[in-house]
Amino acid sequence: PLCLASKILNTKLFLFEPNMVLGRSNKFFIKSCVKIFCYSDKIKNLPDKYISKISVIPALLRKKFYNVKKANTIDNNINLLIIGGSQGAKIFDTLIKSSIIELSKKNKLKIYQQTNLVNFEKLKKFYKDKNIECELFDFNEDISNLMSKSNICITRAGASTLAELVFLNLPYLVIPLPTSKDNHQFENAFFYNKIGCNWILNQNEINEEAVANKLFNIIDNKNEFLAKKINMKNFSYQNTW
């Protein structure tokens, strides 16, 4: 509606595209805009004739992200953050359970997990029965503090979440939502994967064993983990409030 109003009123239009694939509404209005602000100049589905309209900017983050400490490194304590988006993700409540049990057998483990209200009590009981320390939440505006307390994350690939994780130097295992429009979540994840900030798993090709093996590999390979943190720091060092 705002973009339509700008055309009717003949006012300058500036667009914002945080994803690595041009959204449908932005594609519709790209001809009319003065500039489109993006995190990269390699946006998919953007017609070549409008590439000059791209203005690359650092990730836009809420102010509180600049006021929390960076994420911890991995030691004997594993603080695992699991984020499934604002509505939670059912697959994270089921598929990852067995992986966490295996992880807890070898490491001191604390779980910070986003889930929906339907699964909240059931998941809480599961962790209690397995004697695994956990902190569950439905939607937490103060996610920045949970990120800073964690040293590894499992997440979907929303543009804002990935930008926040990278800024706080929190290496993450990403499982893109396979049904996302124009496969934009995979493209978001792949953008950061190319600069060495994450590990990607395809939801359609994984099982409980695959997730567990990947987590063990990440935890055991300290050099690769530290390299991810360094890559994140180098990527976001110019991003300041």
Side-chain angles (χ1 to χ4, degrees), residues 153-169:
C153 178
I154 301 176
T155 182
R156 288 300 197 193
S160 296
T161 297
L162 298 193
E164 291 162 0
L165 290 168
V166 170
F167 179 77
L168 292 182
N169 304 163

Side-chain angles (χ1 to χ4, degrees), residues 35-49:
K35 288 285 183 184
I36 180 167
F37 299 107
C38 307
Y39 297 161
S40 168
D41 58 1
K42 303 290 191 300
I43 303 298
K44 291 185 177 293
N45 291 351
L46 179 72
D48 290 342
K49 60 183 177 181

Side-chain angles (χ1 to χ4, degrees), residues 105-121:
K105 293 177 182 178
K106 297 183 179 181
N107 301 274
K108 185 176 180 181
L109 184 64
K110 181 170 183 178
I111 304 295
Y112 301 99
Q113 183 165 354
Q114 184 179 55
T115 186
N116 57 44
L117 293 176
V118 175
N119 296 325
F120 195 94
E121 291 302 326

Side-chain angles (χ1 to χ4, degrees), residues 176-194:
L177 181 67
T179 56
S180 62
K181 184 70 72 176
D182 298 322
N183 203 26
H184 74 267
Q185 284 213 359
F186 172 80
E187 296 298 339
N188 290 347
F190 189 60
F191 169 75
Y192 289 110
N193 184 262
K194 286 188 294 185

Side-chain angles (χ1 to χ4, degrees), residues 151-231:
N151 46 30
I152 187 170
C153 178
I154 301 176
T155 182
R156 288 300 197 193
S160 296
T161 297
L162 298 193
E164 291 162 0
L165 290 168
V166 170
F167 179 77
L168 292 182
N169 304 163
L170 177 56
Y172 58 91
L173 175 61
V174 59
I175 306 175
L177 181 67
T179 56
S180 62
K181 184 70 72 176
D182 298 322
N183 203 26
H184 74 267
Q185 284 213 359
F186 172 80
E187 296 298 339
N188 290 347
F190 189 60
F191 169 75
Y192 289 110
N193 184 262
K194 286 188 294 185
I195 55 178
C197 295
N198 64 30
W199 300 268
I200 301 177
L201 284 181
N202 186 331
Q203 180 175 316
N204 297 324
E205 299 175 357
I206 59 175
N207 53 33
E208 294 173 347
E209 185 179 1
V211 175
N213 289 340
K214 191 63 181 178
L215 287 172
F216 280 123
N217 181 263
I218 291 170
I219 293 167
D220 292 340
N221 194 338
K222 298 290 195 300
N223 289 335
E224 184 180 1
F225 179 87
L226 290 174
K228 293 278 191 288
K229 290 184 71 69
I230 292 170
N231 291 337

Side-chain angles (χ1 to χ4, degrees), residues 110-159:
K110 181 170 183 178
I111 304 295
Y112 301 99
Q113 183 165 354
Q114 184 179 55
T115 186
N116 57 44
L117 293 176
V118 175
N119 296 325
F120 195 94
E121 291 302 326
K122 184 178 179 181
L123 195 59
K124 186 175 182 180
K125 183 178 184 303
F126 167 80
Y127 286 130
K128 184 178 180 180
D129 291 344
K130 300 299 180 182
N131 199 29
I132 298 173
E133 188 179 0
C134 73
E135 186 174 322
L136 305 182
F137 59 96
D138 178 23
F139 181 74
N140 195 323
E141 276 293 332
D142 204 18
I143 190 70
S144 57
N145 279 327
L146 293 180
M147 287 180 178
S148 70
K149 292 177 183 178
S150 306
N151 46 30
I152 187 170
C153 178
I154 301 176
T155 182
R156 288 300 197 193

